[in-house]
Amino acid sequence: MIRLRNGQVRCQKPAGHVQFCGVAGISTHEAAAESTENKGLLVRDYIHSALYEPHKGYFAAKSNAVGAIAEPIRFDRIPGRAAYNEYLSKLYKQHDIAWFTPVEVFQPWYGYAVAEYILRTMDPSAPLKIYEVGGGTGTCANNILTYFKLRAPNVYKSMTYTSVEISAALAKKQKARVETVISHRGHFMVNCGSASDARTWGTVNASPCYIIMFEVLDNLPHDLVYRETPKSPWLETWVVQDQTSKNYVEERRPLQDPLIKRCLDVTTAVSGTSSLVASAKSSLSRLLHLAELSWIPTGCLQLLETLHRMRPNMALITSDFSSLPDVTISGARAPIVASKENGETKDHSTYLEAMGNADIFFPTDFQLLERLDHYSATLFAKTETSERISTVVTSAEFMEQCAQVDKTKTLDGFNPLLEDYSNTKFYINLPTF
């Protein structure tokens, strides 16, 4: 069940990825078992296997369908905040799931807001191309296409919308949802595969395009690094199987992995200080020369490098959780690990307990995300003078500028589109067309 606290949203997201298509790009569950018995797995590979392995990973093992709300919520008929929360609670029980995305809850207005932003910033001289990574049940695609059909029919005539989806089951649902509007059929397609794998994208395409991702970054694998003092070398963390207990345990090793090294280089390249230190507690640790433990978004960097390589003139729009409440796992930017048992959410004290039975989701450090994105763009820029413009805004700020906010207001004036999800932000990066 979703938990609301001071306008923040804490979620255990559902499963439903019954079958996977394309190339996952990282170790399978069987490979994970074999590797941990031998030399072990990097933490990101362990997490990827725990979440995405086609047969036993969390998003394959659970039977729940990804949450879809059949009809838009009539906010103008809801008395206020308490009634809204009660209404959502009933929806969750009715669908027997733990999580609806903001796109679902605020349909079609959330998708319309994204479409409005794209309409304002697109290059009018080129046909509009939109790629959505992790498109859920197709609600966002359907809403965006509908908005352009109604608001900008000349753009709609030549636009294309491609869903990049790793789950065959969700790809099928997306296609069915979007094609309920007959005119959308000539504009929408699904590309099955991992967005982090260049093969999924085919050949490099330098045409202007938009890539949008909502609630995708939080489930991307991370690595875990450690050092004794600020002057000590970083160590990477591996997951190995203890030969006596057969339990999975952590093992620190000298830093060798190229992806971890690149991610660390980016985070430590600003003013000679490390953005790994994201909290006052971590800052005090540095001043006192205490040990540092940090989760770094290597999965995010891998995805961004692929996107900039394969679609170098993309505009990126992504939204996710900037913080998570009640995190008990150690380390900067640590995840929540949670499962649902007998209708109740159970928090786990370590990610090592998750191997197909629990979700693992991370907060997004948006300052670091911006640095990683600019780094990735620079790697594949055609010229040294290539420029990009980026910004980070709260979800409320984005919606106030682009959404029809009167459509999501309850009878007493409460507006969940602006007042809920206070721990979510948008990151936008545009090329200078």
Side-chain angles (χ1 to χ4, degrees):
M1 181 63 63
I2 224 172
R3 304 180 193 175
L4 303 176
R5 185 176 287 105
N6 298 325
Q8 292 195 341
V9 177
R10 183 177 187 272
C11 61
Q12 176 201 340
K13 295 198 291 187
H17 297 56
V18 178
Q19 177 185 357
F20 285 68
C21 50
V23 182
I26 308 183
S27 307
T28 64
H29 187 94
E30 286 80 3
E34 181 180 351
S35 295
T36 48
E37 288 177 2
N38 298 317
K39 66 176 183 178
L41 285 172
L42 282 166
V43 168
R44 70 169 181 270
D45 292 341
Y46 180 93
I47 291 175
H48 188 280
S49 183
L51 292 177
Y52 297 113
E53 195 282 322
H55 304 294
K56 299 179 182 178
Y58 176 75
F59 289 118
K62 300 296 181 179
S63 60
N64 307 56
V66 172
I69 300 175
E71 298 293 332
I73 297 174
R74 289 295 304 270
F75 295 93
D76 59 347
R77 297 179 180 176
I78 298 176
R81 182 190 292 269
Y84 162 75
N85 288 337
E86 182 179 355
Y87 183 84
L88 275 187
S89 179
K90 289 180 180 179
L91 281 178
Y92 285 120
K93 291 178 181 178
Q94 177 184 338
H95 291 79
D96 190 29
I97 66 165
W99 169 244
F100 288 118
T101 66
V103 168
E104 290 288 342
V105 174
F106 301 114
Q107 62 173 296
W109 315 114
Y110 193 105
Y112 280 10
V114 175
E116 174 62 20
Y117 181 83
I118 292 173
L119 182 60
R120 293 180 190 177
T121 58
M122 63 174 285
D123 179 0
S125 67
L128 176 60
K129 296 180 181 180
I130 300 175
Y131 298 89
E132 182 179 6
V133 176
T137 60
T139 297
C140 187
N142 188 58
N143 294 160
I144 288 177
L145 283 165
T146 298
Y147 188 82
F148 276 99
K149 179 181 179 180
L150 299 174
R151 177 82 166 76
N154 289 334
V155 175
Y156 178 77
K157 284 191 299 184
S158 61
M159 74 178 290
T160 58
Y161 195 114
T162 303
S163 172
V164 181
E165 178 57 61
I166 195 173
S167 163
L170 286 180
K172 184 177 180 180
K173 288 184 179 183
Q174 292 165 13
K175 190 173 178 61
R177 178 70 183 270
V178 174
E179 291 186 353
T180 56
V181 181
I182 295 176
S183 63
H184 290 350
R185 296 178 182 178
H187 302 276
F188 181 76
M189 65 194 75
V190 180
N191 189 4
C192 244
S194 168
S196 296
D197 193 313
R199 291 170 290 182
T200 300
W201 297 90
T203 59
V204 174
N205 189 332
S207 300
C209 67
Y210 285 82
I211 295 180
I212 61 177
M213 303 185 294
F214 304 116
E215 288 74 52
V216 169
L217 300 178
D218 57 1
N219 274 138
L220 291 181
H222 285 52
D223 273 291
L224 185 60
V225 294
Y226 171 86
R227 63 182 178 183
E228 287 287 347
T229 73
K231 294 184 178 181
S232 302
W234 285 106
L235 302 176
E236 60 191 31
T237 304
W238 287 68
V239 177
V240 298
Q241 192 170 44
D242 182 82
Q243 295 304 307
T244 302
S245 68
K246 299 302 180 182
N247 294 327
Y248 292 127
V249 297
E250 292 179 345
E251 182 178 287
R252 315 288 187 208
R253 299 180 185 176
L255 181 57
Q256 298 288 335
D257 182 71
L259 183 59
I260 296 178
K261 288 181 178 180
R262 293 201 301 278
C263 201
L264 280 171
D265 285 344
V266 176
T267 60
T268 57
V270 179
S271 302
T273 61
S274 172
S275 67
L276 290 172
V277 185
S279 66
K281 182 178 179 181
S282 296
S283 298
L284 182 60
S285 296
R286 292 184 73 248
L287 291 173
L288 296 177
H289 287 202
L290 300 179
E292 293 181 61
L293 184 68
S294 185
W295 295 85
I296 60 171
T298 43
C300 176
L301 177 58
Q302 185 178 40
L303 174 60
L304 291 171
E305 288 180 348
T306 299
L307 297 182
H308 282 288
R309 172 187 170 192
M310 304 309 296
R311 297 296 183 268
N313 284 320
M314 72 163 179
L316 178 63
I317 305 173
T318 185
S319 179
D320 226 302
F321 294 93
S322 57
S323 63
L324 296 171
D326 305 327
V327 178
T328 59
I329 294 176
S330 299
R333 287 184 301 278
I336 286 175
V337 180
S339 59
K340 194 174 182 182
E341 300 177 6
N342 300 320
E344 297 294 328
T345 299
K346 175 186 177 182
D347 288 341
H348 296 265
S349 60
T350 172
Y351 68 97
L352 295 173
E353 294 179 2
M355 185 48 87
N357 65 318
D359 194 5
I360 306 171
F361 48 99
F362 294 84
T364 295
D365 180 336
F366 278 83
Q367 183 182 18
L368 179 54
L369 171 63
E370 186 171 30
R371 293 170 184 166
L372 292 171
D373 189 42
H374 280 274
Y375 164 79
S376 302
T378 302
L379 287 180
F380 301 102
K382 288 184 177 181
T383 67
E384 293 184 1
T385 58
S386 297
E387 294 183 3
R388 301 185 69 87
I389 302 170
S390 62
T391 188
V392 176
V393 296
T394 66
S395 293
E397 289 170 333
F398 180 88
M399 293 301 167
E400 285 173 341
Q401 292 295 318
C402 299
Q404 302 173 50
V405 295
D406 59 308
K407 301 294 187 179
T408 56
K409 191 180 297 184
T410 62
L411 291 173
D412 70 351
F414 168 63
N415 194 326
L417 181 64
L418 303 180
E419 299 177 55
D420 258 358
Y421 300 93
S422 63
N423 55 332
T424 62
K425 292 181 179 179
F426 271 77
Y427 170 71
I428 301 169
N429 188 329
L430 302 175
T432 52
F433 292 125

